[in-house]
Amino acid sequence: MQGLQRFAIRVFALTSKELAHIRRDSRTLALGLAMPVVLLVLFGFGVSFDLSAIPMAVVDLDRTEQSIDAWRTFAAPDEFRVVAQLDDPGQVEQMFRRREAVVGLVIPAGFARDIRRGEEAHLQLLLDGADGNTASQAIAKANAISLALNQKIRVKLGMVGAPPLNVKSMTRFNPEARSALFLVPGLVGYILAIVAVLLTALTVAREWERGSMEQLFATPVGRLEVILGKLLPYLGLGAVQLLMVLCVGAWVFEVPVRGSLPLLALCSLFFLFSMLGQGLLISVVTRNQMVATQLGVLSAMLPSMLLSGFLTPIDNMPIVLQWISRLVPAQYFVAALRGILLRGNGLSELWRETLALAVFSMAMVAASFFKFQRRLA
């Protein structure tokens, strides 16, 4: 009992010492509190897959009331924005090269005549495929507008009959298809991974460079007490970071919280322990602040962005990268965040992610403990 009490006193003393360092170091406070919010706002507004007012060039070779009504229908919903009316379809490619248009709508001569005769009328849609995401969204928008235009023409001409199959779709969890709802949970995991690793990557390395580690070795403080004393202050700082970015996400980007808050807190706790332990392990191994910072950024930023499912689905990756991604804690945390915030999932749906985060947190802290040795060389 007395041994446990002495253990708690030593951990508390080291935690208090680290908190004093954090309060006196304005750079740590800026990195821990201001940087996550700034990154979330920049990424949230700067990275968006929602496209509107796509620049479109129109080539109307028919020049009739029906052809004018057709291309105005494309521009009416603000999905496409007419930037030029051309006389030759060959001019569309030149506008693509100058990046003045992404879409070209060509209405051939005889368009109105074919409609009046009840024959099949044609529209040609030209796309700049250099940006695949924009091209695919433009095709989807054009197809939807074409269906509406076709129905409008049928009503105007008094055509009877309905298509044999009427398909109605309904989107759950994100009916407006806003990319912010998809990106913000991934951004939370990405930002916390970077900041948490950087915070602890500097702790032990700073002690070695300043020579205070030798003074620490002269005390009866053990390895586990040092590890916990270094982690706990930054765990509290990480909890504040999480609350801040979640509040900003809910307030600025209207991200809902549909699931269990205790489960969200548990997954966040495991994830923060994982990333703080990773940064501490880097700090123990390198013993140099510059090297620790560089290694921390590389080991946290690239995997958390490319292998976590933050931007691209993991199932679309090569099988080798899919296996490697299983070693990235951010993958499980991003999946848990999207499940809790957007779908309202509970532990029955997210037990695999929760268990994986728990294993990673224990593994990182254990690795830091065994790698940290009480010797100077």
Side-chain angles (χ1 to χ4, degrees):
M1 188 65 181
Q2 291 182 351
L4 182 61
Q5 184 178 5
R6 287 196 296 267
F7 176 83
I9 292 174
R10 292 168 182 170
V11 171
F12 178 77
L14 287 172
T15 302
S16 302
K17 167 183 169 294
E18 200 65 33
L19 284 173
H21 281 302
I22 294 174
R23 287 196 301 267
R24 296 169 185 170
D25 191 353
S26 59
R27 294 172 299 179
T28 300
L29 288 176
L31 177 65
L33 299 179
M35 183 179 173
V37 176
V38 172
L39 287 177
L40 181 65
V41 173
L42 289 178
F43 275 96
F45 284 111
V47 181
S48 176
F49 299 132
D50 299 331
L51 296 179
S52 61
I54 301 175
M56 178 178 69
V58 174
V59 183
D60 186 357
L61 301 179
D62 196 48
R63 299 184 184 277
T64 60
E65 180 183 351
Q66 288 82 359
S67 65
I68 294 175
D69 184 63
W71 64 258
R72 283 181 176 174
T73 300
F74 275 82
D78 294 329
E79 305 288 1
F80 297 96
R81 174 172 52 90
V82 178
V83 294
Q85 298 184 44
L86 308 176
D87 299 322
D88 183 5
Q91 296 176 307
V92 175
E93 184 174 340
Q94 297 301 319
M95 296 200 68
F96 288 169
R97 294 180 183 276
R98 296 194 299 266
R99 294 183 295 177
E100 295 175 353
V102 177
V103 176
L105 179 64
V106 180
I107 304 177
F111 176 79
R113 179 197 63 214
D114 294 338
I115 290 178
R116 286 193 297 268
R117 292 177 178 177
E119 299 177 355
E120 189 178 77
H122 297 275
L123 293 174
Q124 184 180 22
L125 192 71
L126 305 177
L127 296 166
D128 180 4
D131 186 343
N133 177 59
T134 302
S136 62
Q137 290 201 39
I139 292 175
K141 293 175 186 295
N143 288 335
I145 295 174
S146 298
L147 292 175
L149 177 61
N150 184 55
Q151 184 64 25
K152 179 180 178 181
I153 294 174
R154 288 172 63 88
V155 172
K156 184 177 293 187
L157 296 180
M159 296 180 179
V160 296
L165 182 64
N166 185 18
V167 179
K168 294 184 179 180
S169 61
M170 180 178 65
T171 303
R172 294 293 308 276
F173 310 126
N174 188 8
E176 298 177 355
R178 292 173 51 223
S179 61
L181 295 189
F182 170 78
L183 288 175
V184 169
L187 281 172
V188 172
Y190 173 67
I191 292 170
L192 286 182
I194 296 176
V195 176
V197 170
L198 285 179
L199 284 174
T200 51
L202 302 176
T203 56
V204 177
R206 181 176 56 203
E207 299 278 1
W208 284 109
E209 288 188 353
R210 293 179 177 178
S212 56
M213 189 60 71
E214 291 88 342
Q215 301 175 7
L216 193 61
F217 286 168
T219 67
V221 176
R223 289 186 296 169
L224 183 59
E225 295 162 349
V226 174
I227 296 296
L228 293 179
K230 295 290 185 182
L231 283 182
L232 291 179
Y234 295 102
L235 181 64
L237 187 60
V240 175
Q241 294 170 4
L242 177 67
L243 291 175
M244 290 176 62
V245 294
L246 287 178
C247 289
V248 172
W251 178 46
V252 178
F253 301 104
E254 299 179 354
V255 177
V257 182
R258 298 191 174 106
S260 169
L261 290 178
L263 181 60
L264 175 61
L266 182 64
C267 292
S268 303
L269 177 67
F270 288 147
F271 180 69
L272 286 173
F273 255 117
S274 299
M275 304 317 296
L276 291 171
Q278 177 179 329
L280 191 59
L281 177 62
I282 292 172
S283 186
V284 169
V285 172
T286 58
R287 298 189 179 187
N288 181 276
Q289 291 190 75
M290 181 177 294
V291 178
T293 302
Q294 294 173 350
L295 189 57
V297 170
L298 289 176
S299 64
M301 182 176 68
L302 295 180
S304 298
M305 173 176 283
L306 302 178
L307 299 177
S308 66
F310 162 43
L311 292 177
T312 57
I314 295 176
D315 293 339
N316 293 344
M317 299 178 184
I319 190 65
V320 176
L321 291 182
Q322 292 185 33
W323 280 96
I324 296 176
S325 69
R326 297 184 180 183
L327 301 177
V328 179
Q331 176 198 155
Y332 305 97
F333 187 57
V334 170
L337 281 176
R338 286 174 177 160
I340 295 171
L341 299 180
L342 304 183
R343 301 187 187 96
N345 290 347
L347 186 60
S348 59
E349 295 90 3
L350 297 174
W351 67 268
R352 293 181 182 86
E353 288 78 7
T354 307
L355 179 61
L357 289 171
V359 171
F360 274 113
S361 64
M362 290 185 290
M364 287 298 175
V365 174
S368 301
F369 172 74
F370 288 111
K371 193 63 181 178
F372 182 69
Q373 302 294 329
R374 289 175 56 90
R375 59 173 182 262
L376 299 180

